[in-house]
């Protein structure tokens, strides 16, 4: 299974069922993507989809949370935003239930390196993003040995961290081009708006409200809205800042290509030094797969391989299945644990197999 841009997915088999944010199935896993399907998905705002891998068709990639939990959580975010837009209250019970489900889904596999699903339609961007930020924040909280009650407060805050966007006009939120300074200010207002919305919900913890308030603050004081520095930023705020940026840069956007996980992690670690809490970044790196299962990599030997298994104690040295020689000729697949081959490194992550390989796969044998 691997993610490919929609236009390259025609004729291929969908590897993961696609849902709308209200939980309806759009397309079942296993469906062959026709031109019509692809056009419809495009209209819905999809940019890429997971397809089955021709050379490793049996590969199953487990998401960090179950599909049912993911869809339910997206629905809860969309309900909460709709309630606020109508001037009503968010139902605490429905939010806390799904946060508990996320916590227990994650707790079931504490030693696993996660390959987070980051395929989403642009229409559902905020909902899908909120769910991933919640999953990542809870994952980091677990790695920091937070108590259950803390995880719940963090999870609720992370799931609703962008609730203030309800107050930002859609024309600005979905503007494809560059924002004017005024528009940018309006967008930045979502952090405080979110805080005000959540703190008026007395049944939510004030700590959850502060997640919305602080998730754009940076340790060196360059963040917003208050330019808080260092310890003035609550640990929940620092965790959610890292989760927010990681998910945002690794997702499809209309205006830029997504960054592969290993680059996003490196960016947080190297360029993010001083701005992001490095203990939090280290915990993220220990739990998230730098090279997700199913992705195609070019090795330093010149061969192409598919990542087939994660190694919990070596997040950047997975087991790969070598599928071509250094001339890109398809060969009998062979598994290679990179951990025990220090001389072989991953040189690049490819979006798809080069045409030369795809032609060999289509050719009659
Ligand atoms: Fe935000």
């Amino acid at each position: 299974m691997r993610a490919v841009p929609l236009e390259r997915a025609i004729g291929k088999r969908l590897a993961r069922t696609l849902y709308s944010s209200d939980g309806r199935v759009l397309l079942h896993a296993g469906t062959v993507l026709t031109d019509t399907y692809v056009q419809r998905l495009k209209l819905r705002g999809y940019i890429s989809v997971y397809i089955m891998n021709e050379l490793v068709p049996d590969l199953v990639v487990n998401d960090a949370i179950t599909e049912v939990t993911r869809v339910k959580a997206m629905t809860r975010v969309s309900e909460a935003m709709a309630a606020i837009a109508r001037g009503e209250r968010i139902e605490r019970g429905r939010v806390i239930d799904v946060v508990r489900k996320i916590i227990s889904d994650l707790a079931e596999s504490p030693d696993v390196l996660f390959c987070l699903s980051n395929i989403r339609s642009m229409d559902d961007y905020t909902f899908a993003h909120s769910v991933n930020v919640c999953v990542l924040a809870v994952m980091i909280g677990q790695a920091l040995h937070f108590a259950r009650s803390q995880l719940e407060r963090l999870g609720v805050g992370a799931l609703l961290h962008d609730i203030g966007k309800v107050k930002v006009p859609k024309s600005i939120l979905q503007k494809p081009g560059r924002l004017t300074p005024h528009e940018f200010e309006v967008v930045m207002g979502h952090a405080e708006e979110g805080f005000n919305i959540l703190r008026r919900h007395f049944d939510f913890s004030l700590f959850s409200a502060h997640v919305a308030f602080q998730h754009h603050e940076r340790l060196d004081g360059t963040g917003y809205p208050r330019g808080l520095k260092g310890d003035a930023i609550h640990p929940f705020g620092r965790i959610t800042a890292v989760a927010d940026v990681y998910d945002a840069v690794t997702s499809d956007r209309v205006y830029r290509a997504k960054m592969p996980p290993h680059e996003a992690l490196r960016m947080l670690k190297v360029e993010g030094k001083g701005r992001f809490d490095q203990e939090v970044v280290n915990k993220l790196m220990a739990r998230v797969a730098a090279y997700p299962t199913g992705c195609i990599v070019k090795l330093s030997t010149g061969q192409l391989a598919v990542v087939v298994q994660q190694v919990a104690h070596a997040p950047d040295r997975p087991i790969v299945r070598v599928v071509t020689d250094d001339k890109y000729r398809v060969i009998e697949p062979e598994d290679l644990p990179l951990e025990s081959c220090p001389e072989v490194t991953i040189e690049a992550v490819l979006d798809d197999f080069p045409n030369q390989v795809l032609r060999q796969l289509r050719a009659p044998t």
Side-chain angles (χ1 to χ4, degrees), residues 1-4 13-17 29 49-63 67 115-119 292-296 306-308 351 353:
M1 182 176 100
R2 65 179 194 276
V4 293
R13 221 171 261 281
L14 189 66
R16 254 187 199 162
T17 300
V49 283
Y50 283 116
I51 58 155
M52 289 178 183
N53 206 315
E54 301 87 337
L55 285 167
V56 196
D58 54 335
L59 198 63
V60 180
V61 185
N62 293 320
D63 197 353
E67 202 71 54
C115 308
L116 220 57
S117 162
N118 57 6
I119 294 293
T293 307
C295 77
I296 303 167
V306 176
V307 176
V308 288
D351 265 354
F353 288 115

Side-chain angles (χ1 to χ4, degrees), residues 181-238:
H182 170 70
E183 289 168 336
F184 201 61
E185 222 164 87
V186 175
V187 172
M188 291 202 296
H190 81 278
E192 191 161 2
E193 293 281 8
F195 173 65
N196 286 329
I197 290 167
L198 294 179
R199 77 172 170 166
R200 282 196 296 269
H201 285 72
F202 301 115
D203 42 357
F204 284 131
S205 159
L206 204 52
F207 287 107
S208 304
H210 273 285
V211 172
F213 207 2
Q214 297 186 358
H215 72 279
H216 287 288
E217 299 287 1
R218 300 291 177 256
L219 289 182
D220 59 1
T222 56
Y224 67 85
R226 290 178 288 172
L228 297 180
K229 271 189 184 173
D231 286 346
I233 309 169
H234 189 273
F236 287 4
R238 301 180 197 194

Side-chain angles (χ1 to χ4, degrees), residues 297-303 305 316-318 320 322 336-347:
V297 292
K298 185 178 176 187
L299 302 176
S300 51
T301 55
Q303 297 164 298
D316 55 351
R317 307 291 288 164
V320 299
V322 181
L336 182 73
L338 290 180
E339 199 196 359
S340 41
C341 310
E343 70 284 2
V344 182
T345 54
I346 293 178
E347 274 197 346

